[in-house]
């Protein structure tokens, strides 16, 4: 019994070292928290920082059988992000909790100014998760995006989650977690790319369920950074090029032509890219080998296509397309001198003794790297049909 | 062997009295169930004897047919001239009764009469013959009420010790099964049968059990608490340290494993010594089902133990302190459900836990005929109405319901009750300092478990002390053919079960 009491005293004493300064005060009732899912950060023209946070306000519906949801937005301004965060308490009856923040959204203007100063608080604070995703808003501010996409029908975070989930179907965008982005920002000579959100206002026939205040959003590609400043927005085709080299292709489509010039759709089933850097006689070379498999999902051609010679032609067509995509983004990156593929890391891993030399001169070396792209593909299956109905 | 004689003599200190009808009548004659009547042996008016018994304890038919009738009508007795002749003839077995004893001390005679024998007292000779004619009403062996199994024996212990020992003998037909008896309780003189396998049992353990039973200074042994609370090692622990069972098959299995069993007269349960925490998580059914199935069930039972112990506390701590640990969508559901409920979450949890304990207690006390009322009141009032009236959030109800259901999975009620007490402690710690409180509580619990032992066997055995062999019957039940040794913590004579 005496030992038991001693143990209790030790545990009570240890409590002093836990860092819990406010014992019972730190307990918060769950309905008194503002459960932030999206944090938007913008730099205003007057130099202040605007912080926009949003949550889903859930209430039991009138008949008690379901839950009514609507977006709730809080906005505050301050000289620093932290000031803005603390100022939020003035306008909110609830305590903002950042533990559930899934998306950190940065406005285009802010991103062009350099985003690292704004992300310092987000990465330093203990509540934020490192697996929160970062997005740039193309052509608008984070506040506007959140404001335009929030009404009683739509909740931006749900919409973004759904888009993220589906992004692998096209492979023109991807999710970039805070931790990964910060890791690349920390590396000199390598450029970061972050997916951007585009607000689409003129889609007359869009389904009302995904259209909020007449707007909807799409993830169309990447914005490329030099250091921490946003430089360019890439088209969806070039963005897929990055995903090919970065080995991030999950699925996607390729359209090739049949014998009669009609379209045939190919679905990418699997893809694997390997990068082999080499230095020969002072020349940096990099071979990019891509292997992918496709299924024929649709043919508009009215000719027979499933015989050896034609299948080989189709394979060649899709290989050429992908090769073109990859070569296009490589030449673009070399032209702008932005190593968005992280090729430097590949060279350093292959030639560790040359680490310092490569790092110091990468700005000069990267545009000179000789890339060779080799694409191999295989057409695998045709689903339920072989030849289309009516073709004998 | 025992010192029960001392106890006995202290209670009935009549050793100086001579054995006579007058003295017996003076001691127990005022009882309404005391019967004594005089007969003349062999119809000889010179030889008078008294028939003494306690009504209700004896079978009157047996007395009439096998004791009184021969004494009165047998030719041998008719030829007797003196009481000495009668004594000789009875000793020669003319009253052909298998279980008779010749008594010369009043203590022994009284003891026999009070345990259901009839005494034939020859007053002048100060001598009595007692014939065991037990014939009191006893309950038939019925199906076990608590420890039911689908595949397995359907018998259970009853209140009569002799029936219970016989049941064990029927299951273990080995000369090595020893059933020793001792008496406990100064007033009740309750018989306790100590059962063990003499070729297996650890002698030290046996000695310890006997010593503890002999040192029991209790007045009565009518409820089990008098035994349990007096012989366990850790008297301040909420956890049971002696296992009870109403199943003879489970009892016998434990004897064969090398444990010691206690059968108490008047109780339809038996006790198994020593006991470890593992035994409270093993159910008899485990060994009759397929080992893969019973492993899954066993694993579920272990998980249930932790759920019933920790879930409310974990819920309170993450809801109040660590909201970021809840999946995002679930957070929104919980917030929506909590909307409009005036109480803090931990108050809700404690209220619900208290309500649940009250319902359980009320269900136990209510007569079976109106027992259903409790479930209706429980389901409608606590469940539905309280949620609709915004006194409780539905999430709390679900959490407490899961806690309750997992609590009922425990095969042993004593163990389940102990978990209930600790559960409250955990909730209180959690609502003060969150996960830290919960962890502290767990450390305290683990510490108390580690400290405990039962008759020298660690309570956490076989999870402590390197008993790899026994681990085969813990979280998962391995096939029986792989379990080749008895528990090593029991230090038995014969460790191997099979080759």
């Amino acid at each position: 019994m005496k030992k038991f009491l001693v143990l209790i005293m030790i545990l009570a004493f240890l409590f002093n070292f836990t860092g819990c300064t406010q014992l019972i005060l730190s307990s918060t009732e769950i309905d008194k928290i503002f459960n932030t899912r999206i944090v938007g950060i913008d730099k205003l023209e007057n130099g202040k920082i605007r912080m926009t946070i949003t949550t889903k306000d859930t209430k039991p519906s009138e008949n008690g059988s379901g839950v009514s949801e609507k977006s709730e937005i809080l906005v505050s301004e301050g000289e620093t992000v932290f000031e803005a965060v603390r100022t939020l308490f003035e306008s909110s009856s609830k305590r903002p909790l950042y533990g559930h923040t899934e998306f950190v959204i940065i406005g285009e203007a802010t991103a062009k100014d350099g985003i690292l100063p704004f992300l310092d608080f987000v990465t330093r604070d203990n509540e934020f998760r490192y697996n929160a995703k970062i997005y740039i808003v193309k052509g608008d501010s984070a506040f506007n995006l959140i404001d335009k996409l929030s009404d009683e029908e739509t909740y931006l975070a749900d919409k973004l989650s759904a888009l993220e989930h589906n992004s692998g179907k096209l492979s023109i965008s991807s999710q970039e977690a805070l931790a990964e982005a910060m890791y690349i920002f920390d590396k000199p000579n390598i450029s970061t790319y972050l997916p951007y959100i585009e607000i689409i206002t003129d889609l007359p026939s869009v389904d009302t369920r995904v259209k909020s205040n007449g707007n909807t959003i799409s993830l169309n590609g990447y914005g490329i950074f030099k250091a921490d400043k946003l430089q360019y927005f890439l088209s969806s085709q070039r963005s897929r090029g990055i995903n090919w080299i970065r080995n991030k292709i999950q699925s996607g489509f390729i359209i090739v032509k049949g014998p009669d010039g009609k379209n045939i759709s190919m679905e990418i089933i699997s893809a694997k890219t390997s990068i082999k850097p080499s230095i020969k006689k002072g020349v940096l070379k990099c071979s990019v080998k891509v292997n992918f498999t496709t299924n024929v999902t649709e043919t508009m051609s009215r000719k027979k296509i499933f015989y050896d010679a034609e299948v080989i032609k189709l394979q060649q067509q899709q290989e050429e397309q992908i090769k073109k995509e990859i070569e296009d983004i490589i030449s673009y990156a070399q032209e702008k001198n932005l190593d968005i593929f992280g090729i430097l890391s590949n060279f350093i891993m292959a030639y560790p003794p040359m680490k310092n030399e490569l790092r110091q001169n990468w700005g000069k070396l990267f545009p000179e790297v000789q890339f060779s792209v080799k694409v191999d593909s295989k057409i695998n299956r045709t689903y339920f049909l072989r030849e289309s109905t009516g073709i004998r | 062997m025992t010192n029960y004689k001392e106890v006995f003599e202290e209670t009935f200190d009549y050793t100086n009295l001579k054995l006579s009808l007058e003295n017996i009548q003076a001691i127990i004659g005022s009882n309404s169930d005391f019967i004594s009547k005089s007969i003349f042996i062999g119809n000889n008016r010179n030889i008078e004897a008294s028939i003494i018994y306690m009504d209700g304890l004896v079978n009157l038919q047996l007395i009439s047919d096998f004791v009184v009738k021969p004494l009165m009508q047998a030719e041998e007795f008719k030829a007797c001239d003196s009481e000495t002749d009668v004594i000789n003839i009875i000793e020669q077995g003319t009253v052909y009764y298998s279980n008779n004893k010749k008594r010369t001390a009043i203590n022994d005679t009284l003891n026999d009469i009070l345990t259901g024998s009839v005494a034939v007292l020859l007053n002048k000779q100060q001598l009595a013959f007692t014939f065991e004619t037990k014939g009191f009403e006893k309950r038939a062996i019925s199906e076990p009420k608590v420890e039911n199994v689908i595949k397995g024996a359907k018998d259970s212990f009853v209140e009569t010790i002799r029936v219970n020992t016989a049941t064990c003998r029927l299951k273990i037909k080995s000369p090595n099964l020893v059933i020793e008896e001792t008496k406990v309780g100064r007033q009740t003189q309750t018989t306790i049968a100590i059962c063990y396998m003499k070729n297996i049992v650890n002698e030290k353990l046996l000695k310890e059990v006997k010593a503890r039973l002999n040192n029991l200074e209790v007045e009565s042994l009518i409820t089990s608490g008098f035994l349990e609370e007096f012989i366990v090692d850790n008297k301040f622990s909420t956890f049971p340290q002696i296992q009870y069972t109403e199943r003879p098959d489970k009892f016998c299995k434990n004897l064969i494993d090398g444990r010691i069993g206690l059968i108490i007269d008047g109780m339809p349960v038996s006790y198994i010594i020593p006991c470890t925490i593992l035994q409270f998580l093993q159910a008899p059914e485990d060994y009759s089902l397929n080992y893969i199935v019973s492993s899954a069930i066993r694993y579920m039972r272990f998980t249930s133990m932790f759920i019933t112990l920790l879930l409310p506390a974990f819920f309170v701590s993450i809801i109040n302190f660590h909201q970021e640990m809840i999946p995002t969508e679930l957070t929104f559901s919980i917030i929506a459900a909590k909307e409009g409920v005036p109480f803090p979450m931990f108050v809700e949890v404690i209220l619900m836990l208290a309500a649940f304990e009250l319902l359980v207690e009320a269900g136990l006390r209510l007569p079976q005929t109106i027992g259903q009322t409790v479930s209706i009141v429980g389901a409608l009032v606590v469940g539905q109405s309280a949620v609709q009236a915004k006194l409780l959030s539905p999430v709390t109800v679900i959490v407490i319901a899961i806690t309750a259901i997992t609590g009922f999975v425990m095969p042993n009620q004593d163990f389940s009750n102990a978990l209930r007490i600790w559960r409250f402690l955990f909730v209180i710690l959690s609502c003060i300092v969150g996960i830290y409180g919960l962890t502290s509580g767990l450390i305290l619990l683990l510490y108390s478990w580690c400290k405990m032992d039962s008759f020298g066997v660690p309570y956490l055995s076989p999870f402590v002390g390197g008993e790899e062999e026994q681990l085969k019957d813990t979280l998962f039940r391995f096939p029986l053919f792989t379990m080749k040794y008895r528990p090593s913590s029991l230090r038995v004579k014969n460790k191997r079960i099979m080759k």
Side-chain angles (χ1 to χ4, degrees):
Chain A
M1 203 62 191
K2 203 186 263 178
K3 284 183 184 167
F4 201 70
L5 289 174
V6 170
L7 184 66
I8 291 174
M9 282 178 71
I10 292 172
L11 287 170
F13 180 68
L14 274 178
F15 184 74
N16 290 318
F17 301 107
T18 56
C20 307
T21 45
Q22 293 172 310
L23 187 62
I24 300 172
L25 289 178
S26 63
S27 153
T28 319
E29 281 304 312
I30 196 158
D31 53 339
K32 299 283 182 290
I33 61 166
F34 187 96
N35 192 18
T36 312
R37 276 187 78 186
I38 299 179
V39 170
I41 300 171
D42 291 307
K43 194 176 176 190
L44 300 177
E45 284 173 1
N46 60 8
K48 282 197 166 187
I49 291 159
R50 180 192 277 162
M51 174 114 174
T52 317
I53 61 173
T54 168
T55 188
K56 190 156 62 175
D57 186 20
T58 44
K59 280 197 169 63
S61 60
E62 293 298 315
N63 57 15
S65 61
V67 174
S68 78
E69 298 175 350
K70 60 173 188 175
S71 298
E72 203 177 342
I73 302 171
L74 286 180
V75 185
S76 72
E77 289 175 12
E79 295 294 331
T80 61
V81 177
F82 184 64
E83 190 191 336
V85 163
R86 279 297 156 100
T87 316
L88 279 173
F89 281 95
E90 279 181 0
S91 55
S92 174
S93 57
K94 296 176 174 179
R95 183 176 92 79
L97 175 84
Y98 298 101
H100 288 279
T101 307
E102 282 174 72
F103 307 104
V104 177
I105 296 173
I106 313 280
E108 182 180 334
T110 318
K112 282 185 169 161
D113 255 19
I115 66 168
L116 283 181
F118 307 103
L119 292 179
D120 186 76
F121 172 75
V122 176
T123 42
R124 199 180 289 273
D125 189 77
N126 67 318
E127 280 190 2
F128 281 94
R129 294 183 185 181
Y130 274 136
N131 62 355
K133 314 292 181 313
I134 306 192
Y135 287 97
I136 310 295
V137 188
K138 188 183 177 188
D140 218 330
S141 66
F143 168 76
N144 279 347
L145 170 75
I146 294 169
D147 189 42
K148 283 176 183 172
L149 266 292
S150 298
D151 63 11
E152 293 193 0
E153 293 289 324
T154 334
Y155 180 48
L156 180 59
D158 288 345
K159 175 86 177 127
L160 265 175
S161 295
L163 285 182
E164 257 188 13
H165 184 74
N166 294 338
S167 66
K169 298 285 175 201
L170 287 173
S171 298
I172 54 172
S173 184
S174 67
Q175 311 163 17
E176 287 304 317
L178 190 57
E180 291 166 29
M182 298 316 275
Y183 175 75
I184 301 177
F185 275 129
D186 232 4
K187 302 227 164 202
N189 301 318
I190 297 182
S191 298
T192 311
Y193 56 93
L194 291 177
Y196 64 80
I197 302 170
E198 212 171 354
I199 305 173
I200 299 165
T201 49
D202 51 349
L203 272 180
S205 61
V206 77
D207 187 344
T208 49
R209 278 172 300 174
V210 293
K211 192 173 153 189
S212 171
N213 297 333
N215 304 311
T216 188
I217 52 169
S218 68
L219 299 176
N220 275 339
Y222 295 119
I224 305 182
F225 286 71
K226 183 159 192 143
D228 70 331
K229 292 186 172 60
L230 176 67
Q231 299 290 320
Y232 313 100
F233 286 109
L234 292 184
S235 67
S236 55
Q237 206 177 15
R238 281 185 172 154
S239 299
R240 191 163 85 168
I242 294 186
N243 283 342
W244 278 111
I245 298 175
R246 281 281 189 174
N247 214 354
K248 278 187 175 179
I249 297 287
Q250 291 176 23
S251 182
F253 63 87
I254 303 168
I255 297 170
V256 291
K257 301 286 180 191
D260 52 356
K262 295 280 173 62
N263 289 340
I264 296 170
S265 304
M266 304 295 206
E267 180 193 3
I268 302 167
I269 298 301
S270 65
K272 196 173 183 323
T273 309
S274 60
I275 295 172
K276 275 195 183 154
S278 61
I279 305 176
K280 278 176 190 163
K281 295 176 187 169
V283 181
L284 276 66
K285 290 183 178 176
C286 186
S287 83
V288 179
K289 274 187 188 169
V290 178
N291 264 308
F292 70 96
T293 319
T294 53
N295 285 354
V296 177
T297 48
E298 181 190 18
T299 165
M300 291 179 154
S301 163
R302 304 309 296 162
K303 300 273 183 191
K304 275 192 176 185
I305 52 171
F306 292 108
Y307 52 94
D308 286 354
E310 186 56 33
V311 168
I312 289 167
K313 271 188 199 166
L314 294 177
Q315 277 178 0
Q316 281 169 349
Q317 279 189 56
Q318 62 182 15
E319 282 163 13
E320 272 166 29
Q321 267 196 41
I322 299 308
K323 192 175 176 186
K324 213 174 136 195
E325 248 175 47
I326 295 170
E327 284 174 346
D328 180 42
I329 185 66
I330 289 173
S331 62
Y332 181 83
Q334 284 186 314
E335 183 191 322
K336 305 287 182 195
N337 196 5
L338 296 170
D339 180 8
I340 38 184
F341 319 115
I343 297 291
L344 173 61
S345 307
N346 295 68
F347 273 100
I348 287 176
M349 270 194 270
Y351 299 95
M354 297 176 71
K355 185 168 74 176
N356 292 335
E357 201 184 330
L358 284 168
R359 273 186 184 159
Q360 280 162 13
N361 304 315
W362 193 244
K364 289 178 204 158
L365 292 172
F366 177 66
E368 305 298 324
V369 176
Q370 291 180 9
F371 281 92
S372 64
V373 181
K374 196 180 172 211
V375 181
D376 279 325
S377 75
K378 192 182 163 198
I379 295 172
N380 228 8
R381 289 167 200 280
T382 65
Y383 295 109
F384 284 165
L385 301 181
R386 210 171 135 84
E387 298 297 354
S388 295
T389 316
I391 298 176
R392 290 188 177 84
Chain B
M1 181 191 81
T2 66
N3 68 347
Y4 84 88
K5 272 187 183 165
E6 292 163 24
V7 179
F8 186 83
E9 277 155 18
E10 184 193 322
T11 323
F12 302 105
D13 193 13
Y14 308 122
T15 35
N16 298 329
L17 292 176
K18 62 177 187 177
L19 176 59
S20 71
L21 181 63
E22 292 74 30
N23 282 338
I24 290 177
Q25 273 177 334
I27 297 166
I28 54 170
S30 59
N31 294 298
S32 59
D33 54 350
F34 174 80
I35 309 283
S36 93
K37 64 175 196 174
S38 297
I39 56 164
F40 297 108
I41 291 177
N43 269 335
N44 186 339
R45 294 206 166 254
N46 294 325
I47 312 170
E48 191 182 353
S50 302
I51 303 284
I52 305 167
Y53 59 89
M54 299 304 282
D55 194 17
L57 290 184
V58 293
N59 183 338
L60 292 174
Q61 188 75 36
L62 287 179
I63 296 176
S64 307
D65 289 353
F66 298 106
V67 181
V68 180
K69 201 174 169 185
L71 284 174
M72 302 274 285
Q73 295 177 357
E75 292 302 321
E76 289 87 343
F77 287 113
K78 282 182 180 166
C80 287
D81 292 331
S82 66
E83 289 180 347
T84 328
D85 294 344
V86 171
I87 293 165
N88 288 336
I89 291 172
I90 293 178
E91 279 182 333
Q92 284 162 16
T94 308
V95 180
Y96 38 89
Y97 204 84
S98 59
N99 195 357
N100 63 344
K101 287 167 188 154
K102 186 179 169 185
R103 297 293 193 195
T104 50
I106 191 166
N107 278 345
D108 297 337
T109 318
L110 277 173
N111 195 21
D112 286 352
I113 293 170
L114 290 172
T115 49
S117 295
V118 61
V120 177
L121 176 69
L122 297 162
N123 216 2
K124 287 177 195 161
Q125 301 292 323
Q126 292 185 15
L127 184 140
F129 285 97
T130 58
F131 301 88
E132 196 179 302
T133 49
K134 279 179 190 164
F136 44 83
E137 284 303 314
K138 55 193 175 199
R139 191 160 63 88
I141 293 178
S142 58
E143 280 194 28
K145 289 272 178 345
V146 186
E147 297 167 88
N148 275 318
V149 295
I150 300 166
K151 263 160 80 181
K154 300 279 183 199
D155 55 349
S156 68
F157 284 123
V158 293
E159 283 81 357
T160 324
I161 190 166
R162 197 49 66 220
V163 177
N164 292 346
T165 51
T167 314
C168 294
R169 281 260 180 240
L170 282 173
K171 290 199 190 287
I172 308 176
K173 297 179 190 75
S174 158
N176 289 316
L177 172 65
V178 179
I179 301 175
E180 286 178 20
E181 286 189 359
T182 180
K183 289 200 191 280
V184 169
R186 275 193 295 273
Q187 303 298 337
T188 56
Q189 288 294 309
T190 312
T191 311
I192 296 184
I194 307 168
C195 312
Y196 57 90
M197 300 297 293
K198 71 177 174 196
N199 58 336
I200 300 169
V201 76
N202 174 358
E203 291 292 342
K204 271 190 186 169
L205 175 67
L206 182 63
K207 215 169 144 188
E208 179 67 27
V209 171
K210 283 179 184 171
R212 286 194 199 185
L213 285 177
N214 291 335
N215 293 332
L216 269 186
E217 289 292 328
V218 289
E219 282 282 290
S220 66
L221 187 55
I222 289 171
T223 55
S224 55
F226 285 104
L227 181 78
E228 287 180 35
E229 290 180 19
F230 279 89
I231 68 167
V232 295
D233 294 83
N234 307 277
K235 298 199 173 14
F236 298 106
S237 175
T238 48
F239 284 91
Q241 294 158 68
I242 175 166
Q243 204 197 359
Y244 68 82
T245 180
E246 53 170 357
R247 298 188 59 83
D249 52 352
K250 183 175 171 185
F251 182 78
C252 293
K253 164 79 170 56
N254 278 287
L255 295 192
I256 292 166
D257 275 348
R259 294 190 180 87
I260 295 171
L262 300 179
I263 303 176
I264 300 162
D265 196 17
M267 275 184 228
V269 288
S270 60
Y271 290 91
I272 297 161
I273 293 170
C275 95
T276 61
I277 195 166
L278 178 65
Q279 283 172 284
F280 299 117
L281 293 160
Q282 293 169 333
E285 189 88 338
D286 289 355
Y287 302 97
S288 51
L289 292 175
N290 173 288
Y291 70 92
I292 297 172
V293 176
S294 60
S295 291
I297 295 173
R298 182 75 70 76
Y299 187 77
M300 193 182 72
R301 206 176 289 137
F302 270 85
T303 321
S304 299
M305 180 184 83
F306 286 106
I307 290 176
T308 192
L309 190 63
L310 302 175
L311 183 66
F314 184 68
F315 178 69
V316 167
S317 44
I318 62 163
I319 290 286
N320 280 350
F321 291 88
H322 315 284
Q323 293 95 350
E324 65 278 0
M325 283 172 71
I326 318 168
T328 308
E329 285 303 320
L330 185 62
T331 319
F332 286 116
S333 313
I334 295 173
I335 292 175
K338 179 78 171 63
E339 200 71 43
V341 179
F343 300 115
M345 207 55 127
F346 83 89
V347 174
E348 279 184 49
V349 169
I350 288 183
L351 276 179
M352 264 306 280
L353 276 176
F356 162 66
E357 298 297 337
L358 288 175
L359 281 174
V360 171
E361 202 56 24
L364 280 177
R365 303 281 163 262
L366 269 183
Q368 273 186 350
T369 41
I370 53 170
Q372 284 185 337
T373 327
V374 179
S375 50
I376 293 168
V377 170
L380 291 182
V381 177
V382 179
Q384 209 175 347
S385 310
V387 168
Q388 276 181 353
K390 290 281 173 200
L391 286 174
L392 292 172
S393 50
V395 191
T396 321
V397 178
I398 292 165
V399 166
I400 302 303
I402 295 171
T403 309
I405 291 166
T406 46
F408 290 131
V409 172
M410 296 300 109
N412 187 293
Q413 195 55 42
D414 285 349
F415 188 66
S416 180
N417 290 344
L419 295 178
R420 278 155 74 183
I421 299 289
W422 277 88
R423 187 197 293 155
F424 266 100
L425 179 76
F426 285 165
V427 170
I428 291 164
L429 283 172
S430 296
C431 71
I432 301 171
V433 278
I435 291 275
Y436 182 84
L438 181 60
T439 319
S440 305
L442 264 176
I443 292 173
L444 288 177
L445 176 65
L446 197 63
Y447 173 78
S448 71
W449 276 350
C450 289
K451 281 269 291 173
M452 280 164 68
D453 67 77
S454 168
F455 291 81
V457 177
Y459 196 58
L460 280 183
S461 166
F463 300 108
V464 292
E467 284 182 69
E468 294 86 4
E469 191 63 27
Q470 267 301 100
L471 289 175
K472 287 177 185 169
D473 194 14
T474 51
L475 231 67
F476 301 101
R477 178 179 83 69
F478 280 46
L480 290 172
F481 56 80
T482 62
M483 298 181 195
K484 294 184 176 170
Y485 296 92
R486 295 194 167 83
S488 56
S489 57
L490 293 175
R491 309 258 182 277
V492 288
K493 287 176 196 157
N494 183 359
K495 286 180 184 158
R496 206 171 245 280
I497 299 174
M498 63 181 92
K499 276 186 185 173

